[in-house]
Amino acid sequence: MTFQIALLLALIAAALVFFSFDWVPSDVVALGLVLTLIMTGLLSPEDAFAGFGSDTVIMILGLLIMTTALIRTGVVDLAGRAILRHAGTNPSTLLAVIMIGCAALSAFISNTAAAAFFLPIVLGVATKAKMSPSCLLMPLAFASILTSSVTLISTSTNLVVSGLIQRAGMPPMGIFELTPVGVPVAIAGLLYMYFIGRHLVQDRAEVPGLLEQFGLRSYISEVVVMNDSPLVGKTIAEAGLGRDMDLAIVRVVRDRDRYLLPRSEMMLQAGDMLLVEGAQSDVLNVKDTAGLEIRADLELSDPDLRDEDAALVEALIVPGSRLAGRSLRDAALRQRYGVQVLGLNRHGKNILTKLSHVTLRAGDVLLIQGRTQGLQRLAGEGLVSILQAIEGETGKRPKAWRSVIIFVAALTLAATNLVPLAVAVLAGAFLTLATRCISPTEAYRDLDWRVVILIACMLALAQAMMKTGAAQYLAEHVAALTSGYSPLLIVAGFFILTVALTQPMSNQAAAAVIVPIAIQTALHLGLNPRTFVMAIAVAASCSYITPLEPACLMVYGPGRYRFFDFVKVGLPLVVVVFVIAMILVPRIWPLGAR
């Protein structure tokens, strides 16, 4: 092992730790890794930055612009509501329609976008059908992931894999090359969820659902003891907030920055801010209690906020939201959107600090009060997903049709090999902007730039593995360790390793680490590297065992799931996908062919 290989493997190991524990955002980790590769001389700046100008990144940018137009112009909304309009209220029919509709949609757009769109609709349908959301939300998330291998553009991971094999001197993946495996995987997965998976999750929500009764969710809110409050001078025990209002005091904030543990004998003082935990209805009852006020109500800048146009909603912070990683103070929602956050729910966890100081995370649910227009702007800019139906724009039909025509035309050009895929999607993106389906400002604002940066950096990592000889070194050791084993067993080993890596870290990063090693291993053993690559592409999308996949993270809170629910339902699903892949992949891409 050379010093360069040892250094690169050490950097990869460190990056995997950071990816897995999410101490810093994955795109920041990736940027730091690329910078380190340059500073250590493992890659030249030209090689390190080549990924940012690659066909893969251009394809992802073009697809993101076109899918943003489909969402912005109301195409996705029209399609989703048409799917669910005639579903009725029969639980079995509803489940089948939701899963098939979401799976079909996510075969062509991001599974995160598909799940984010269907989430509030499914919650509304669950309420109408008097069903628990937990019966529908995990199947929804899994359905959005199951079609990841149906087309090349189903997920950005497929595009990364295609870019990696192209750099290794192999032809890129065709737009429908994975379809013979992806369609059986999707069908088998949907059947598993319909007949088996849905019965493995405990029903944890009461019948009225989240939309009619927020009380099913516990919030942390800030309550201020006013100067004229009859509670001033009383102990916490005498105040009886727990006894009379069903609110639990988790901290007392005094003099702005003193955080005190609540004790029954503690005297309440004027100006004390109480961090209380309770159901939505109990929190709002504070408004009717003399001498107590919810802090948000004290700071309302708009005196007409409580008029007929005001609404009280639950809003989910979606993966990729600009709010994630920021505090409510930094976000300044009241100043920018005219809305107030009354409470925060983080899947049952107590937030023991001021709400304005809490760093928000994807999956947090906010209790927000504000005007409909402000709430629409929040949702329209991709900051949150409103878990209630808010009356608003229904989409602009002429632009919607233009977006559909451009999207279909671009895919047709690529599928018929008239032009390369990167050229087709770039042309589609250009026409989407030129015909004003969406404005460039909207497109650039809604783009998930973190995905673009992560993928470009992962391409640089793969390049470093090839240039330093690390991929060849690891491949030789894998080949030596597996000598005497059947080729199919080696492919299965790479599949399982990819699945293991993709649970705690991004799918793209897992593929970028494994694909170069797999290609070199196949070449060393005289086997077809494409067989290995296609198996890894399928495995990289098997993010079912933990709720860390963005689509799963979105339903984690609203469905009131527990971590082990995903293990219990997702692990058998991974086995189903594994068996199908091991049967079909070697048949479609024979192991012996080179």
Side-chain angles (χ1 to χ4, degrees), residues 27 281 297 330 407 437 543:
D27 52 313
S281 57
D297 286 346
D330 293 338
F407 187 79
C437 294
S543 306

Side-chain angles (χ1 to χ4, degrees), residues 37-51:
L37 293 175
I38 296 172
M39 299 298 290
T40 55
L42 295 178
L43 275 185
S44 66
E46 292 77 14
D47 288 335
F49 301 145

Side-chain angles (χ1 to χ4, degrees), residues 279-331:
Q280 178 263 357
S281 57
D282 297 321
V283 170
L284 293 183
N285 282 339
V286 169
K287 298 181 179 184
D288 300 323
T289 304
L292 291 178
E293 285 289 348
I294 298 176
R295 189 182 179 195
D297 286 346
L298 295 176
E299 299 177 348
L300 292 181
S301 57
D302 187 346
D304 299 322
L305 187 61
R306 295 194 182 97
D307 65 15
E308 64 277 3
D309 188 40
L312 181 68
V313 300
E314 286 185 312
L316 176 77
I317 297 180
V318 297
S321 168
R322 298 196 305 275
L323 294 181
R326 303 177 67 185
S327 68
L328 287 172
R329 171 181 289 181
D330 293 338

Side-chain angles (χ1 to χ4, degrees), residues 474-485 490:
L474 293 174
E476 290 173 357
H477 279 70
V478 170
L481 291 172
T482 56
S483 60
Y485 291 97
I490 300 173

Side-chain angles (χ1 to χ4, degrees), residues 3 14 36 141 143 146 376 479 502 519 528 551:
F3 173 74
T36 306
L146 277 167
Q376 288 171 353
T502 201
I519 291 174
N528 182 8

Side-chain angles (χ1 to χ4, degrees), residues 328-573:
L328 287 172
R329 171 181 289 181
D330 293 338
L333 299 183
R334 180 164 56 90
Q335 291 83 356
R336 295 176 182 173
Y337 300 94
V339 300
Q340 283 288 0
V341 175
L342 303 184
L344 167 67
N345 174 270
R346 183 167 288 167
H347 199 60
K349 293 183 180 178
N350 286 338
I351 309 299
L352 303 180
T353 186
K354 293 181 181 180
L355 289 185
S356 59
H357 294 171
V358 175
T359 300
L360 300 174
R361 300 177 186 171
D364 285 350
V365 179
L366 306 177
L367 183 63
I368 300 180
Q369 183 182 38
R371 285 180 169 173
T372 303
Q373 184 180 8
L375 296 170
Q376 288 171 353
R377 285 180 56 210
L378 270 177
E381 293 180 13
L383 300 182
V384 299
S385 176
I386 303 296
L387 302 185
Q388 289 84 7
I390 296 181
E391 296 299 325
E393 295 183 7
T394 57
K396 301 173 182 178
R397 299 297 179 90
K399 291 185 177 181
W401 279 114
R402 284 204 299 270
S403 298
V404 171
I405 292 170
I406 292 170
F407 187 79
V408 172
L411 296 189
T412 302
L413 284 174
T416 54
N417 293 320
L418 291 176
V419 295
L421 178 59
V423 176
V425 296
L426 186 61
F430 168 74
L431 290 175
T432 297
L433 298 175
T435 58
R436 298 184 180 179
C437 294
I438 55 172
S439 69
T441 302
E442 290 174 324
Y444 303 147
R445 183 180 60 201
D446 289 357
L447 281 178
D448 191 350
W449 291 102
R450 293 177 302 176
V451 171
V452 177
I453 292 172
L454 176 64
I455 289 172
C457 293
M458 289 301 98
L459 292 175
L461 172 61
Q463 180 73 2
M465 292 184 69
M466 299 298 293
K467 292 202 71 171
T468 61
Q472 176 68 25
Y473 172 81
L474 293 174
E476 290 173 357
H477 279 70
V478 170
L481 291 172
T482 56
S483 60
Y485 291 97
S486 71
L488 184 59
L489 199 58
I490 300 173
V491 174
F494 275 106
F495 187 102
I496 294 169
L497 178 60
T498 305
V499 169
L501 284 179
T502 201
Q503 302 310 313
M505 57 192 285
S506 75
N507 304 351
Q508 299 93 340
V513 171
I514 300 297
V515 166
I517 302 172
I519 291 174
Q520 293 301 316
T521 300
L523 294 174
H524 192 80
L525 295 172
L527 300 173
N528 182 8
R530 209 167 189 86
T531 313
F532 287 70
V533 168
M534 295 305 168
I536 292 169
V538 176
S541 295
C542 289
S543 306
Y544 306 110
I545 303 176
T546 68
L548 304 180
E549 165 74 24
C552 296
L553 190 62
M554 277 191 290
V555 304
Y556 189 36
R560 305 178 75 225
Y561 297 117
R562 296 174 184 170
F563 190 94
F564 188 71
D565 289 335
F566 288 86
V567 178
K568 186 166 57 175
V569 182
L571 191 56
L573 180 55

